[in-house]
Amino acid sequence: MEQAGNESLSVLLGINPMTWLGRLKQMKPAYRTAAGLAVLAVAWILSGALVGDKRSGEKPAPGEVIVDVKVRTVTAKIKSRKLVLFGRTEADRGVNVKAETAGRVAGIEVAKGSAVKTGQVIVRLVMDDRARKLAEAEAVFDEELISYKAAKQLSKENYRSKIKLAESKANFEKARAGLAAVRLDIARTAIHAPFDGILDDVAVEAGDYIKVGDVAARVIDLDPIVAVGEVSERDAYLLSVGSPARVKFADGRVMEGNLRYRSRSGKPATRTFRIEIAVSNPGGSVVEGLTTEISLAAGKTPAYRLSPAVLTLSDAGEVGVKTVDGDDRVRFYPVRLIADTTEGIWLTGLPKKARVIIVGQEFVKTGQKVRPVELPAAPG
């Protein structure tokens, strides 16, 4: 029996035990104690590698070391999924008010940044010779009206042919159209607000000359204010129009709203989809262009509450969790974070019931045989 033990140690240590004992006797007591402990530790580790796991009765593959890991069995629970992303605020409506007639700017009627009502004059242009053109158009109209009435009367008495009556009517309609065009041109010298809102910008000054199509001002509507963001293609299908949403601003304010729009076409470059959340904003206290944190309800899903410490990386760089399967071998599952709470993180991607490695996950590889030590369930 003693001989067999010596042979085992010879194999493990690569040296005859009797030679070791002779050397130990020549050492100082302190060195002798340390060397003895080191020999015993190496012998114990290597003996486990060679003789295998006696508790399981299975021998490891050549060169494989079975190590202990601590595991905890977790079961999926139904959890409300929340999608969090960053976005920005935009006005509900924003219009660049353009000139519809040419002319010099006579004056700005409203100060930039002021509230405006529908139809309120923002910019007024100089009339120039429009008054003269109006008088001329009115005179032509009156003349053609009298001529047309006379032609109609004469046609009834058969003193005027139908051709002459048609010519007279055409001249009258032309005069009426000309008068309407002059009046419309005069009306366009006053540039109006298209809806109730805020005069966000004025692009002209008194004395500027603007042409048809030039931008004179910009009016925006801030009630409701719209928080916009981009969601990935894997999350877009989780969102439903009308679902509740929360918008948090950099100053700490939080406002509630609803998802009013989800794009049905993604951006080719980023593969993301635009979303819009409308938030009531009476008085326009929330302005356009603010950074926001948007939280969206994204349905319910089976999830697991775990400590962030269990997360690890695969060889491909994926974030995931290592588990132990029924054969006591390590398995890696990519996971997704759906909520981060003070009690822990909620993850999806694991089997319905799994033995998660709580301690030792960084020291084992996928497929490796391990010796799981079961921990009690976490409180709650």
Side-chain angles (χ1 to χ4, degrees):
M1 184 69 176
E2 181 180 357
Q3 183 179 359
N6 291 339
E7 290 176 356
S8 298
L9 286 174
S10 298
V11 173
L12 293 172
L13 301 177
I15 190 169
N16 190 292
M18 301 306 297
T19 303
W20 267 103
L21 291 174
R23 292 181 181 179
L24 286 173
K25 290 179 180 179
Q26 298 173 5
M27 294 181 181
K28 293 181 178 180
Y31 292 166
R32 189 162 55 243
T33 301
L37 291 174
V39 170
L40 290 175
V42 172
W44 179 79
I45 293 173
L46 293 179
S47 64
L50 293 175
V51 302
D53 184 0
K54 293 182 179 180
R55 286 182 292 177
S56 65
E58 179 180 350
K59 293 184 179 180
E64 182 180 27
V65 177
I66 297 181
V67 299
D68 290 350
V69 293
K70 294 183 179 180
V71 301
R72 176 172 288 135
T73 300
V74 296
T75 304
K77 296 181 180 180
I78 300 300
K79 175 71 174 175
S80 295
R81 180 179 296 187
K82 183 173 65 174
L83 183 63
V84 180
L85 61 143
F86 289 99
R88 65 189 184 281
T89 56
E90 288 185 359
D92 183 43
R93 290 183 291 176
V95 172
N96 290 325
V97 186
K98 299 181 179 181
E100 297 179 271
T101 188
R104 286 185 300 108
V105 176
I108 311 300
E109 302 288 321
V110 182
K112 183 166 59 176
S114 301
V116 293
K117 295 293 185 180
T118 304
Q120 185 175 349
V121 177
I122 300 172
V123 177
R124 196 176 296 276
L125 303 182
V126 174
M127 283 286 289
D128 289 331
D129 62 344
R130 289 181 175 86
R132 180 187 60 78
K133 291 180 178 179
L134 176 61
E136 180 181 349
E138 289 175 339
V140 172
F141 173 78
D142 291 341
E143 179 184 358
E144 294 298 336
L145 176 59
I146 294 170
S147 176
Y148 176 54
K149 288 181 178 180
K152 284 174 66 177
Q153 186 63 34
L154 291 173
S155 178
K156 287 181 180 180
E157 298 173 0
N158 293 322
Y159 290 111
R160 181 66 64 89
S161 67
K162 291 183 178 180
I163 293 177
K164 292 295 184 180
L165 177 61
E167 289 178 356
S168 181
K169 182 179 180 181
N171 291 334
F172 166 71
E173 293 295 345
K174 183 178 180 180
R176 183 162 65 174
L179 176 60
V182 173
R183 288 174 175 171
L184 180 61
D185 186 57
I186 292 174
R188 285 172 173 173
T189 59
I191 300 175
H192 303 270
F195 50 77
D196 293 356
I198 303 296
L199 181 59
D200 187 54
D201 190 25
V202 178
V204 295
E205 297 288 346
D208 286 347
Y209 182 85
I210 59 177
K211 304 183 296 296
V212 175
D214 287 349
V215 175
R218 177 172 174 78
V219 177
I220 59 175
D221 182 6
L222 296 177
D223 188 19
I225 193 71
V226 181
V228 302
E230 302 285 337
V231 298
S232 67
E233 59 184 352
R234 68 180 182 180
D235 293 326
Y237 77 96
L238 299 172
L239 304 177
S240 301
V241 172
S243 60
R246 190 185 72 166
V247 179
K248 184 177 180 180
F249 301 93
D251 60 4
R253 283 183 295 173
V254 176
M255 302 176 75
E256 304 292 333
N258 295 92
L259 180 66
R260 75 172 190 183
Y261 171 76
R262 185 198 66 186
S263 173
R264 296 302 182 92
S265 60
K267 294 181 179 179
T270 59
R271 298 185 183 275
T272 57
F273 296 76
R274 178 183 169 98
I275 60 166
E276 296 180 1
I277 295 92
V279 178
S280 179
N281 186 34
S285 60
V286 180
V287 298
E288 188 176 36
L290 297 180
T291 300
T292 62
E293 180 185 275
I294 302 171
S295 300
L296 296 157
K300 296 183 178 181
T301 184
Y304 316 80
R305 193 187 71 182
L306 294 167
S307 166
V310 305
L311 296 177
T312 186
L313 291 176
S314 69
D315 293 338
E318 292 180 295
V319 177
V321 170
K322 287 178 180 176
T323 67
V324 177
D325 63 14
D327 296 327
D328 291 343
R329 293 194 176 274
V330 178
R331 294 288 177 262
F332 177 85
Y333 289 94
V335 295
R336 291 187 61 195
L337 175 69
I338 64 168
D340 188 355
T341 67
T342 56
E343 294 80 15
I345 57 176
W346 287 87
L347 305 171
T348 62
L350 295 175
K352 186 176 181 180
K353 192 172 184 179
R355 290 191 295 171
V356 176
I357 301 178
I358 304 299
V359 179
Q361 68 271 23
E362 297 297 344
F363 304 103
V364 293
K365 295 182 178 181
T366 301
Q368 181 178 340
K369 184 78 174 181
V370 294
R371 193 165 31 235
V373 178
E374 187 74 31
L375 296 177

